[in-house]
Amino acid sequence: MKILAPFLVILCFYSSKVFTQDDITKTNDTIDYSVLLKDYVISANYKPTLSRESVYQVNSISKEEIAKKNISSLDELLSQLSSFRILYDPILGTKISLRGIGSENVAILQDGIPIIGRLDGSIDISQINLDNIERIEIISGPQSVIYGNNAAGGIINLITKKSQLEKYQISLDANQSLPKRTDVSLNSSFNVNKLFLKSGISYLTDMPYKIDSLRVFEDFELNSQNTIKRKKYPWNPKERINGYFTARYFLNETNSISFQVDGSSQNIENFGEKRRPNFLPYALDEQYYTVRKNGNLRYEGLFNRMSFEAILARNDYNRILSKNRFDFTSNQNENQFSTKDSIEFIAYFGKIVAVYSIDKTTLSIGSQFDYQLGTGDRLSNNEEPFTNIVESQELSFFSDLRHELKPNFKTSISARLTSNKLFGNQLSPSFQAIWTINKNFSFRGGFARGFRSPDLKELYINFIDVNHFVLGNTDLRPELTNDFNLSMDYQKNKNKHNLLLRLNFYFNKIKQKIVLAQLDQLQYQYINLESYSVFGLNQKFEFAYKNITISNDYNLGFWNNIDSEQPEIPTHSLVVDNMLNINYELLWNKVNVSLTHRYAGKVPRYFLENNQLNQSVASPYQFIDFYTNVLFLNGNLSIKGGVQNILNIQYNNVNNLSSNSNHSSDISSSQLVARGRTFHLGIRYIIKA
């Protein structure tokens, strides 16, 4: 409970300005648009744009959709999208891929500001709480022109609530899951005159099993008849608290200043196996304590035909690993054997964007500054011996010209020039277009180049001990990505029938891809590959009739085999993903019932070992979830329940795997893909006026 202390005083009371719909359409307030006009999207658009008119295909998920399924963290949400694959590490957290592109190339943003704290190239998205999130927008494919580094594979933009129509709103959420997990949160927001204030706090405790059970390891036989040793209960105890505060002041109807801070602290305990059980027994335990702190100041204004936005932000990430030897005789840690190491990142972010519109043309120009400082026991700067302080710095200028050639044909031509302190200048162009044939048919297509500079860990890590030998590489070169996409949409809305058909073809090639390669037995270093590519077809079908909605999202991908330069290895392997959702509203939309089925197909891989061709196959797996949500008191009281992972899938086996995972000892030839079967019950109560 000690991690609660820094945040127990964060709750406040607030206020803001109420707009009519006519006022909203005159302002540049993107959140006000989303309140009343839910078909608008924000990401990759310099002003709110109808989703069907955006040159980019934006997948938008509203807060209401999230609430119906009792989802509180980002990893739970993304696991229900066919374009994402999620792997779990009980220590590092979640790792995602988007259409076969790794998480190091997927930018995770909050209101357009990058979230930092990548370990093994990934941000632990299970730490990202959704209480303050009004909607989530996802774009697949390079967005480096608009969002810079780490966006070569796509973006996930978390958009917070910045205004409301009610004078005040207070909500209390309490959720209980079995195996034992408790999540409670309190959020409040107020409107008075020109000031909008919002804050919230949430607490999660996850202790699914007793400590003695968490020390038990078992032998597990794979389909290949090989036997591995892994934890019987892999999910470590977790305690986390999140808090946030937002203040927005409206100077007038079209100009505002906002300030936002948020933070979280998380403690994870990894209990080791009991050793020498019959003579002075002991265990080697680990404790991971992580703190995130974010703050930003933002100005948004509209002057006749020109809008303007300026952002200043700072993000802090700190992680401390404590290793302890627990003595069962005295029932306490032996301090003489305890060790600690830490890693800390501090990022400064600045961005200025000006948008000028006249008739059918919109011109956007801007500049962005990124500076990141890293310190840690496992970071080493070869250019400055005996120091563990490293840094990166980028300055970029970008422009986007959007023009409506005809009433039904729009184009976007954009470019970004980035100057990196270590890697020089890089130009990233992009061309996108949308052709609306009629009210039902539309086509999108385009080309974009993305880039990713090596991060501080890939450049400077120096992790050598009895169990690890991992080195960074200051000779790494930035990744360059070329992406081609073409999509077709058909929408038909008639009376109580709604139909959506979407086909999307994509091709993404990464030059100089950075991977962790094995140099010698148990020795690894980051290197550049010559190239890596994925291509495929995504198909979405959605049909709504009266109170029932059926949707199916299917992804047929071909993922590059890393050793495909060898003639005996195929260049790409087929990977299939599918997500089916059936949603039913009854009793005047007071009761919502949802059934989902997720299928993740096998992932074949080929590799050379001792000059012999080997194949590893990550086996397919599937999830079935059931949710229900019942509304009372005009929707102000909701009771939610459900069962996640009805089939109780936790692992998928990987046969003949030659793993380079730093934490593969627990999951050597099997991968964690989900928690087991979980029962949920939650309640939400809202007071508003």
Side-chain angles (χ1 to χ4, degrees):
M1 294 292 291
K2 64 181 181 180
I3 66 173
L4 283 169
F7 296 98
L8 286 178
V9 295
I10 200 168
L11 292 178
C12 301
F13 293 92
Y14 332 101
S15 50
S16 169
K17 178 170 183 178
V18 179
F19 287 114
T20 67
Q21 184 163 347
D22 288 339
D23 292 327
I24 291 171
T25 59
K26 297 176 184 177
T27 71
N28 197 38
D29 181 358
T30 57
I31 300 302
D32 283 328
Y33 272 96
S34 67
V35 168
L36 295 178
L37 304 174
K38 297 182 179 180
D39 290 334
Y40 279 76
V41 294
I42 299 166
S43 301
N45 295 282
Y46 294 106
K47 61 180 180 179
T49 304
L50 276 170
S51 59
R52 64 182 303 166
E53 296 179 1
S54 172
V55 294
Y56 293 95
Q57 189 72 66
V58 183
N59 182 13
S60 179
I61 304 167
S62 69
K63 188 178 185 71
E64 291 74 20
E65 294 177 81
I66 298 171
K68 286 179 180 179
K69 296 184 178 181
N70 202 21
I71 290 174
S72 60
S73 62
L74 187 57
D75 62 313
E76 296 176 7
L77 176 67
L78 297 184
S79 68
Q80 300 195 2
L81 303 177
S82 69
S83 53
F84 284 92
R85 287 279 182 120
I86 297 183
L87 295 178
Y88 290 86
D89 187 306
I91 295 172
L92 295 180
T94 52
K95 186 171 185 177
I96 66 172
S97 66
L98 174 58
R99 296 194 317 196
I101 301 295
S103 55
E104 65 277 1
N105 274 300
V106 181
I108 301 178
L109 315 162
Q110 182 168 304
D111 294 324
I113 301 172
I115 296 175
I116 66 169
R118 293 179 181 268
L119 298 175
D120 279 359
S122 302
I123 292 173
D124 181 7
I125 58 174
S126 67
Q127 295 181 9
I128 300 177
N129 186 274
L130 302 181
D131 282 343
N132 190 34
I133 305 304
E134 192 68 14
R135 61 195 287 144
I136 298 172
E137 295 183 348
I138 300 168
I139 304 179
S140 302
Q143 293 296 307
S144 297
V145 170
I146 300 175
Y147 295 107
N149 211 359
N150 293 111
I155 66 158
I156 303 168
N157 194 13
L158 312 175
I159 301 170
T160 62
K161 184 175 182 178
K162 297 178 184 174
S163 66
Q164 67 184 31
L165 300 179
E166 298 84 6
K167 292 182 180 180
Y168 66 84
Q169 180 171 305
I170 301 173
S171 64
L172 174 65
D173 291 81
N175 301 284
Q176 181 68 54
S177 303
L178 293 175
K180 189 177 179 182
R181 176 174 172 167
T182 302
D183 187 1
V184 294
S185 64
L186 177 65
N187 300 275
S188 60
S189 55
F190 291 81
N191 263 337
V192 175
N193 297 324
K194 296 182 178 182
L195 185 64
F196 169 74
L197 294 170
K198 186 174 191 289
S199 71
I201 190 168
S202 65
Y203 174 70
L204 178 142
T205 177
D206 189 356
M207 185 69 180
Y209 307 101
K210 295 182 179 179
I211 293 178
D212 289 343
S213 299
L214 295 171
R215 297 189 184 277
V216 176
F217 285 70
E218 63 180 1
D219 292 329
F220 181 77
E221 186 174 303
L222 301 169
N223 295 336
S224 60
Q225 306 304 313
N226 293 326
T227 300
I228 62 172
K229 194 172 187 178
R230 68 185 187 190
K231 270 193 168 184
K232 184 175 182 179
Y233 303 106
W235 299 98
N236 295 318
K238 179 190 299 183
E239 188 178 29
R240 184 176 70 241
I241 186 163
N242 297 75
Y244 68 88
F245 170 76
T246 299
R248 188 180 190 191
Y249 182 75
F250 292 86
L251 302 171
N252 52 45
E253 291 185 355
T254 59
N255 292 267
S256 67
I257 298 175
S258 60
F259 172 72
Q260 183 174 15
V261 291
D262 63 78
S264 68
S265 62
Q266 175 177 279
N267 190 60
I268 295 178
E269 294 184 279
N270 182 30
F271 294 102
E273 186 177 17
K274 190 173 185 178
R275 306 187 181 196
R276 293 191 320 212
N278 299 320
F279 177 72
L280 300 178
Y282 72 95
L284 301 179
D285 297 339
E286 297 175 328
Q287 183 182 51
Y288 296 83
Y289 181 67
T290 304
V291 175
R292 293 180 178 272
K293 293 179 288 184
N294 309 305
N296 69 78
L297 181 66
R298 184 187 303 255
Y299 168 78
E300 295 172 289
L302 179 64
F303 308 93
N304 295 322
R305 296 181 180 273
M306 177 175 286
S307 62
F308 185 81
E309 181 182 47
I311 305 171
L312 288 175
R314 170 173 166 155
N315 296 341
D316 291 67
Y317 173 88
N318 183 265
R319 187 175 192 241
I320 300 173
L321 166 60
S322 302
K323 295 184 177 181
N324 302 298
R325 174 167 163 157
F326 183 81
D327 179 66
F328 287 91
T329 303
S330 62
N331 204 34
Q332 63 183 9
N333 291 327
E334 300 178 87
N335 294 330
Q336 67 270 30
F337 296 109
S338 297
T339 62
K340 285 188 177 183
D341 68 62
S342 65
I343 189 167
E344 181 178 7
F345 296 107
I346 300 174
Y348 295 92
F349 175 88
K351 189 174 184 178
I352 298 175
V353 181
V355 183
Y356 182 77
S357 299
I358 181 170
D359 296 330
K360 300 179 180 180
T361 302
T362 300
L363 174 64
S364 308
I365 58 174
S367 178
Q368 180 175 316
F369 174 76
D370 296 90
Y371 175 80
Q372 190 169 149
L373 181 72
T375 62
D377 301 318
R378 300 176 185 175
L379 297 176
S380 177
N381 190 341
N382 296 329
E383 297 179 0
E384 298 182 25
F386 310 110
T387 180
N388 60 354
I389 301 176
V390 297
E391 64 177 0
S392 66
Q393 180 177 307
E394 283 186 355
L395 176 64
S396 57
F397 300 91
F398 53 91
S399 179
D400 185 352
L401 179 64
R402 302 194 181 188
H403 182 65
E404 186 176 328
L405 296 176
K406 294 182 179 181
N408 60 348
F409 192 82
K410 299 178 181 180
T411 62
S412 169
I413 302 174
S414 54
R416 187 184 192 100
L417 178 63
T418 300
S419 178
N420 185 283
K421 184 178 180 180
L422 297 177
F423 303 105
N425 299 328
Q426 176 63 46
L427 180 65
S428 300
S430 173
F431 173 79
Q432 305 291 330
I434 179 171
W435 178 27
T436 305
I437 299 175
N438 54 43
K439 64 179 183 180
N440 301 124
F441 272 108
S442 63
F443 285 89
R444 287 181 179 87
F447 162 81
R449 172 171 289 179
F451 72 94
R452 183 179 79 86
S453 301
D455 64 28
L456 293 177
K457 180 181 178 183
E458 292 166 338
L459 291 169
Y460 300 114
I461 188 172
N462 186 7
F463 186 16
I464 301 176
D465 61 16
V466 176
N467 299 313
H468 303 85
F469 192 101
V470 181
L471 296 176
N473 184 354
T474 55
D475 294 326
L476 289 174
R477 302 181 303 277
E479 296 180 348
L480 302 176
T481 303
N482 292 320
D483 178 271
F484 299 88
N485 66 87
L486 178 65
S487 65
M488 181 208 74
D489 278 23
Y490 175 79
Q491 297 185 55
K492 182 73 172 180
N493 302 320
K494 185 177 181 181
N495 298 328
K496 298 181 180 181
H497 300 77
N498 295 295
L499 176 65
L500 168 65
L501 293 174
R502 176 176 297 152
L503 290 175
N504 174 242
F505 301 89
Y506 59 90
F507 174 83
N508 192 302
K509 184 174 184 178
I510 303 176
K511 297 180 180 179
Q512 303 170 177
K513 179 175 173 59
I514 300 171
V515 297
L516 185 61
Q518 184 170 353
L519 301 181
D520 202 349
Q521 187 174 7
L522 300 179
Q523 296 186 11
Y524 301 91
Q525 186 175 35
Y526 287 98
I527 65 169
N528 288 105
L529 293 179
E530 186 169 335
S531 67
Y532 175 85
S533 64
V534 297
F535 62 92
L537 168 67
N538 178 261
Q539 173 268 324
K540 183 174 183 179
F541 165 82
E542 184 174 301
F543 177 74
Y545 175 69
K546 293 184 178 179
N547 295 334
I548 188 168
T549 302
I550 301 174
S551 64
N552 191 79
D553 199 354
Y554 175 79
N555 195 72
L556 181 69
F558 295 86
W559 297 5
N560 204 175
N561 292 306
I562 290 180
D563 286 329
S564 60
E565 293 181 359
Q566 303 296 325
E568 62 270 38
I569 296 180
T571 58
H572 294 79
S573 295
L574 174 64
V575 180
V576 174
D577 289 274
N578 193 77
M579 182 71 191
L580 173 66
N581 183 76
I582 302 174
N583 190 76
Y584 185 61
E585 306 268 356
L586 61 156
L587 296 179
W588 304 281
N589 296 330
K590 300 295 184 183
V591 179
N592 177 270
V593 178
S594 179
L595 181 68
T596 65
H597 175 261
R598 169 71 194 271
Y599 173 80
K602 66 180 181 179
V603 182
R605 288 293 188 212
Y606 298 85
F607 59 95
L608 290 174
E609 189 173 41
N610 299 324
N611 294 321
Q612 291 192 0
L613 177 64
N614 294 277
Q615 181 185 19
S616 69
V617 178
S619 60
Y621 55 93
Q622 56 186 321
F623 304 132
I624 297 178
D625 302 329
F626 173 79
Y627 306 93
T628 184
N629 184 33
V630 184
L631 301 178
F632 301 94
L633 303 178
N634 296 320
N636 293 321
L637 174 65
S638 61
I639 298 178
K640 298 170 283 188
V643 185
Q644 274 186 309
N645 196 0
I646 294 175
L647 301 179
N648 199 29
I649 304 297
Q650 293 191 65
Y651 293 94
N652 72 322
N653 297 334
V654 183
N655 298 323
N656 301 322
L657 175 65
S658 179
S659 174
N660 63 7
S661 171
N662 293 333
H663 295 275
S664 60
S665 58
D666 290 349
I667 54 173
S668 177
S669 289
S670 61
Q671 297 174 332
L672 272 175
V673 294
R675 296 173 70 96
R677 186 183 300 113
T678 306
F679 298 88
H680 296 279
L681 182 63
I683 185 172
R684 185 181 208 198
Y685 183 62
I686 300 174
I687 303 173
K688 61 183 178 181

